[in-house]
Amino acid sequence: MKKYLMAFLSAWTLGLGACNDFLDPDPTDRLSDKLFWEKEASTDLYLNSLYTYIPSYGNFGEAQFNDGLLTEGMTGMLKYGAYSAGVGNANRIVFNPYFVTADQSQGLVIWPTSYNRIRRVNEFLAGLKKYASYPQEVNDRYEGQARFVRAFLYYQLLLRTNTVIIYDDLPESNNKPLSTEEACWNFVEQDLDYAIQALPAKWPENANGRITKGAAYALKSRAMLVAKRWAKVVEAANAVIQLKDNGALLYDLNADYKNAFKSYFQGNPEAILEFRYQLPGPYHTFDRKFAPGGDWANNGGAATPTQEMVEEYELATGGKPNWSEWHGTTNETPPYTLLEPRFQASVLYNGANWKGRKIETFVDGKDGYVDYGNQALTYGKTVTGYYLRKYLDESISDISTTYSAQPWIEIRLAEVYLNLAEAAAKLNDEAAANDAIRKIRNRVGLPYTDQSGDALFTAIRHERKVELAFEGFHYWDLRRWRVAHQELNNVRFHGLKITQQGANLRYEYVDCDREDRKFPERFYNFPIPTTEIANNVSISQINLW
Amino acid sequence: MEKHLFLIILCVLLGRVGYSQQEIKGIVTDETGHALPGVSVSVRASNISVTTNTEGAFTISSPTKQAVLTFSYVGYKTLERQAGTEPLTVRMEPDETALDEVVVVGYGTQKKSSLTGSVAQVNATEIKRAPMGNITHMITGRLPGLVLKQSGGQPGADASSMNIRGASSFASSNNPVVIVDGVRRSFDQLNPEEIESISILKDASAAAVYGLQAAAGVILVTTKRGSMGKPSINFNTSMAMNQNTMFPEFLNGPEYAYWYNKARMLEGKDPLFSNASIRKMLEGDPEGKWGNTNWVDEIFQTGHSQNYGVTVDGGTEKLKYYFFGGYYNQDGNVAHTSFERYNIRSNINATITKDLDVFVGIGARKESRNAPTFSTEKNEWNNIFQQAMRAHPYLPKTYNGLPTGNITNGPLVSPIAALDQSGFKRNFAEAIESTLQINLKMPWVTEGLSMNVMGSYDHRTAYAKAFQTPFKMAQGIVTAAGISYNEVESSIGQLAKLAENTSRRGFLTLQASTKYNRSFGKHDVSGLLLYEQYRTNSNEFSISTQGLDFLELPELDFANELTAAAGAFGGSSSVVPNAGFVGRFNYAYAQKYLLEISGRYDASYKFIGNKRWSLFPAVSLGWAISEEAFLKDKISGLTYLKLRGSAGKLGNDTGVNAYTFLSTMALLSSEASVVIGNEPRNAYITNALSNPDLTWETATIYNGGFEANFWDQKLGLELDWFYKVTDDILESQGGTFAPSVGGYYPSVINTGKADNRGFELTVNHRHALGDFHYGAQFNISWYRNRYLNIRESANIQDHLKRNGREMNEKHGLVALGIFQTDEEAQNWPSIFGGNRAGDIKYLDVNGDGKLTYADDRMWIANSNVPQLNGSFSMFFDYKNFDCSFLFQGAAQAEYALSGYYPGIGYDNTEFTSPFFQLGNAPKYLVENSWTPDNRDAKYPRLSDIKVQNNKWASTLWIVDGSFLRLKTVQLGYTLPLQVAKRVGAQSIRFNVSGGNIFTWTEFPYMDPEAPDVSNGYYPQQRTWLLGIDVKF
C-alpha cells in the first residue's frame, strides 16, 4: 500500500513543480519582433512588407478602389461596362455622386488603409531606433527606404484630401488634429529629401529592386507638382534626368514606347520606381480583369477606352485625323492603323492583331460588344468598341490558368519630363517646358513646334493625357487643374458600335453613358471617414461633406 | 403428539389444496419490456418468496386463491398485483424518486437531494425518445437551461450550436466547455447509444471546479458502464429518411419570364422574353432550347440514414465491462453529400483488491464526410444552394448533351452539374480517446479517504482532400431575339485542382486527486482536492496543386504544378497548456442543512506575471425545509421542498489569442510578397500590439431556486433564478480608435461589462393508472442580457449607444413604409438620391434633414437567439405500447432577411432583392413587391437590378423568429415476451420516430433557425425513422 501512496504523492508534487515551465511553451507559429533586428537579412524581411504598398495604389493594386478599379474610369478616357456593385463602382460614382459618402467611401477614400500603413512604417522606424545596432550607413538606408514609403503614402492621402493628420512617430493619442496643407507637404518634402540623401543611386545586384535615390527625386517631382512648388519640381526632375552612376546616366526614355512598361532590370532604362511580380507569387490579375473578352469567355474587358480618348491620339505623322464621319453611322473603316505608336501600344481596336488573332469588337464578334446599361455586367464584352492594351501581357496564352506578372512601373522617366514641363511653364521657363515635351514626342516620332502661354499649357495637358493614358494620372490631373467640374460634369462620352452587315462592317457613334455624368464641387476634397470624426475629438468634417 | 400429527396432516392437506389450486406463474420485465431477472416475488402476508429466473419468469405457490403478490427489486418501485387465472405479466417501474437520483457533477457524482448548485441532467432513456441522429438534436428541449439552435442540415455538420442560459459575454465564446468522462472532449460525434447521461452545470457553485473555462457553463457527458449480471447483448438498428423542413419556392420558367419582363419594363427597358418563348417553356420546345426547370427541386432529393449498434455489457463484482460498436451513415438530401461514422467503445471497471479500482475507457471513432466541390456550407461563395437560387428556370436541364447554366453577377451557375461533375471534397477524421483511472481507498489512513489518478490521451487526426474537375456547360444567353447557347468552361476553369491538408492533435490530461467522504452521526462531510493539467500539441500542413494528367487519379504525384494562388502550401504547429488546482468541501447536517464550498486555482498560458494564476471560488447553501418539524407532514401533499442558493466567480479566457503579451511578427502572405535582387522574397508584418496586462473575463453568478415534490413524486417543481455579471470582458478596441491611429493599440483590452438574468422552471408529472403509465414535463426558460459597459466612440449619438441595451440587437434603418409616388420619394431625404415610387421610406432618426446610414440607423430588432425557450413533452406506456412527443417553442428572437457580410456591411440577399445578382427570385418576394398595380405591397419595388436604397438593413426585412415546433415524436411497440423468445431474444422493440415534424412560425418560407446571412444554406431536415431494438 505504501507503494501506491508514494505514487500518488509523487504525482501530486510532480504537478506542483512542473507547473510554471509547463505553462511557458515557446510560440511555434510566430516570431518575436526583436529577432528581426539582429541581422540585416531579417530586417530586410520586415522592410519588404512596406514595399507591398507601392503597387497597391496603382492599376494592379486594390487600394484606391475596392475592386482594383482604374481611376480613369471616372474620366472621359475609359468606360467601365458594369454598373453593379464592385466592378461598376466607377459608373455609380459618376452618375450618382451621392454614392461617395463619408461613411461609405467606396474606395475613393483611402484613409484607414493608408494610416494603417503609415503606422507600419513608423513602427519599423521606431524598431530601428530601439533595437538595431547597425553601422550608421546601414541604418540610414533603412530609414531612407521607410521614409520614402511614408512620403508616398502621405502623397496618396493628400491627392484625395487636402489636409490630413501627420504622424511622424507612433501615435500616442486618439485625437490628433489636421495639419495645414503647407505643413503636410513640408512633411512629404522632408521625408523625400531624407531619402534622397540616404539612398544609393544604384543597389548591389542582390538588392536590386530596392528604392533608389532616383526614385526619391522622381517622387519629389510628382509630389511637388501637386503641392504647386514649381521650383522644387524642376530641381528634382532635373536631378533625376541627370542622375549618374559611374559616370553613366542612369535613366533614359525607352526608344520603343511599348517597352516603356518593362522592368529596369530587363533593360528598360525608363523605369525609375517599379514593383516586380514573379509567378507563382507575387502575382496580380490585371489581364483577367481587362483582357479582351475573346481571351477567356465571360471574363475580362472590365473597362474599355472611349471614342473620345481614341480621338485624342494623333496620326503617326502628326495632327489629328478628321473623325466627323464616325460621329454618325458609316461603313468606312476608321483610320486606326494610321495612328501614332502610343495608340497602337495602348488601345485594342477591331482588327488589331492580338495573340495571333484579330480583335473582333463587333456585335457577336469573338470579343463582342454590348450596349452599356443593358445588363449589369458585360462578361468580357466592350461597351465602347475598344479594349485596353497598355499593361496587358500578350505573351500569356491562357489567362484562365495563368496569373499576371508584368511589373508595375510606378514612376517612369516620361512622367518626370512632363512634371518638369508643367512646372517650368508655371515658372515661365517656356524653353525648358518645350524642350521636355519635344523629348517625349521625339521618342514616338511626332513633330513638335514650340508653344507659348495658354497654347503651351494645352500642349502639356494633351501630352500628359496621351503619354500617361490609363496610368492613373488623368482623374487626379483634372482635379489638380480644377477643370473636372467642367470636363466631367453634365457630359456623356461615346463609343463605336460595330455591326456586321454581310461582308461589311457598320460603325455607329453611340452614347456609352446614356445619362449625364456629374462632378460636384465637393469632389475636389474627399471626406474624412465618419469613423475618424466619431472617435477623434480634435477633428471635424471638412466643408461640403 | 396427536396434536402435532394433526397439524402436519392439516398442513399437508392445506398445502396440497393450495398447491393444486394456486400455482401462480408470470413474467417480470423492466420498464422497457426487457426481462428482469432476480426480482423478488412474494405472497403478501406470508413468507413465501421466490426470485425470477434469467428470463424474468417465476412460479410461486400461494395458499389462497386471491393471493396478492409483491414484487420488489433494487432501483424499482415495489409493486403489488392481484393474482388471477392468467399468467401475470408485470412491468416494473424504475424508482425515479428524484431525490435518490445520482447526478454527475464536476469531478464526481452527487445525490440530487444533496445538491446545492444548479444542475440539469438527462439520461439515456429520455435521450432515446428522439429519432437517432446528431446527439444535440436528441436533447433539444430536455435540459432546461441549455439553448440549442440548429442552423443547418448538412450530413455530419448539422450539430446545433449550444449555450447555457444565453450569452453573457459579447467578446468571448459563449459555448460551454464539454467534458466527456472527465476530459475535455467533444461529444457531438459520439453515437447516442454510448451515452449514459448528459448534465449541464449552470451556476457558479456547480461550475467553479472548472475555473477559467467555466463562465459559459459546463456540459458533462458520461458514457455507459458495464453492470453486474449475465452478459446482455443488445442490437439496435434504425433507418430514417430526411427532407427539408422549409425552403422558399422559386419562380418557374414562365413565372420568371413574366416577372422579369415586368421588372425590366418598370425600369424603362424592353421586355426580354417574347410570348412565343414563354409558350415554348410551357409547351415544350422542339429545338430543346427553352425549358422549365425547377432547379431548387432538382438539387434536393430524399435523404436516408442508417444506424446500427451492438452493445455487450455485463460483469461480476470484480469486473464489469461495456462494449459498444456502432455505425451510422447518412446520405444527404442533396446528392453527393454524405456522412459516415464508426464508433467503438470499451469501458472496463476492475476491482483489483478491496481498496483498489481501475477503470480503462477507450473510445474511438472514424468519420468521413463527402461533398461536391461547390460547397454546401452556408455563406460560402457560389455554394450549391446559391447556384440553385440563381439558375434561371427557363433553361432545360441539358442542351446538346451539356448541362445548362447561366452567368450571374459573379460566377457561372449550373446547379446539377455543380453537384454531379465538379469533383469532390472529402473530409476524414479519426479520434482515439483513452482514459486510465486508478482509485485507491485508504481506510488504513482514515475511513472515507481515497486517492485517484487519471491519465488520458486523445489523438485526433483530420485529413481533407479536395478535387475540382473542370467541366463544360452550355451557357444560355437570352436576348430579345431568343435564346442561344455557348459552350463554356465552368467557373472551375480549365485545369483540375487538387488540394490536400492534414492536421493532428494530441491531447494529454493528467489528474491527481484526494477524496474524503464520511458520516459522523448526523454530520456528512466530504472533500476533494485535485490537480489537473492538460496540453494540446497540434500541427497541420496543406498543399494545393493544379493540372492533372489523369482525372481518374486524383493524387498529388500526378499533379503538374502548385496553384498560382495564395496558399499553395502551408503548415504550422501550436502548443496549448493549462493547469489548475481544484478544491471542494461539502457539509450536511441531518440531510437538512447543506453547505458546499468549491473553487479552482487556475492558470492560463495566455497570460503572464500576476495575471497567470487566479482563484475562482463559489459557495452554496441548501435547506431541505420539508424535513423541518414544522413542515414535515404538516402540509398535505408536500413530499419534499428544498431551497438553495449559490454565489461564485468563474472565468473565461477563450477570447484571448495566445501570446498577446508578446510583441510578435507574422508572415504577410504564405507566398513571396516582393521580388528583390531578382528573387521572390517573403515579407513579415507586426502582429497587433502586445498587451501584457490582458486578463480573463470574470463572471460572478448568483443563483437561487427550489425543488419541490408533491403527492409522492406525482408533481415535481423546480425553479432556478439567476443573475450573472461578466466583468473584464475582452473588448475589441477597433471601433473606438480613430483610423488615423493606424491600428496602433492592443486589439483587445479588459474593459467590458455585461449582465444576464433569467430563470428556468420545470414542472413534472408522472402517474400510473394500472398498466397505463404516463408522464409529462414542461420547461420554460427566459434570459435577458445587457451591456453595462461597452466601448463606444467618443462622439457617438445617443440613439446608437449600446450601453444598457441587449446584446446582439440588430441595428438598421427604420422603414416608414413605401413611397407611393415619385414626388413623395423626391421630397424625402435619401441616402443615395434618386428615389422613386416603390422605394422604402426611411425615418430621419436624428432629424437633421439628411439621411445617412451612419447617423440614422438605430437598434431595431432582437438577436437571433431566442430569449424565451420552452418545451413540453409527454410519454405514455400501455402494456406493450409506448409513445412520446416533444414540442419545442421559442420566442423573443428576430432574424433579418437582409444579410450582413463581415467587412462589407449590410446588403440584399436572394430573399430581399428580386433577381438578386441576376439570379432567380423567390415567389413570395416578387408577388409581394411594389408595382404600380400592387401598391399595398409588403416589399419595395420590383426591379431587375439591385436598388441601392432598398439594400440597407431596415425594419422592413426583420422577421419574427418565434416558433413552435413538434420536435420529436416516437411510437414504440415491444413484442410480447413469448414471441421474442421464439427467436431467442429477451425483448424486441420496434419504434417509429419523427424529428422536426411541424413548425409554426410567422415567415413560412424559411426555417426559423436559419442562419443570419442566408446566401443559401443547407436546410434543416424533417426526419422519419423506423428502429428496432433486440436484446439477447
Side-chain angles (χ1 to χ4, degrees), chain B residues 236-302:
Chain B
N236 68 74
T237 176
S238 62
M239 282 160 89
M241 59 185 218
N242 308 300
Q243 279 173 316
N244 294 341
T245 54
M246 308 174 163
F247 202 80
E249 188 185 349
F250 277 70
L251 300 178
N252 69 25
E255 286 166 347
Y256 179 93
Y258 169 79
W259 287 105
Y260 193 70
N261 277 348
K262 186 159 182 166
R264 279 180 70 92
M265 288 190 290
L266 292 173
E267 290 287 350
K269 294 175 212 164
D270 295 332
L272 191 65
F273 299 93
S274 67
N275 286 338
S277 308
I278 296 172
R279 205 169 304 122
K280 283 180 187 160
M281 294 175 206
L282 276 169
E283 294 164 6
D285 178 9
E287 288 179 283
K289 288 183 166 177
W290 293 103
N292 188 1
T293 306
N294 187 331
W295 295 102
V296 173
D297 284 356
E298 291 295 334
I299 62 163
F300 291 118
Q301 57 192 26
T302 300

Side-chain angles (χ1 to χ4, degrees), chain B residues 299 372-391 405-419 422 425 468 471 473 489-493 901 910 916-919 1014-1017:
Chain B
I299 62 163
T373 283
F374 288 100
S375 175
T376 46
E377 305 269 339
K378 64 173 180 178
N379 302 339
E380 262 193 41
W381 180 79
N382 210 16
N383 65 48
I384 296 286
F385 312 105
Q386 190 174 338
Q387 293 202 32
M389 295 191 292
R390 294 186 182 176
N406 56 278
I407 196 138
T408 64
N409 188 358
L412 285 155
V413 297
S414 185
I416 300 176
L419 276 178
S422 69
K425 258 195 295 210
Q468 302 186 13
F471 59 90
M473 53 185 274
E489 302 281 345
S490 77
S491 58
I492 287 173
Y901 301 83
E910 274 81 3
F916 181 65
Q917 306 287 32
L918 306 180
S1014 301
N1015 257 350
Y1017 69 102

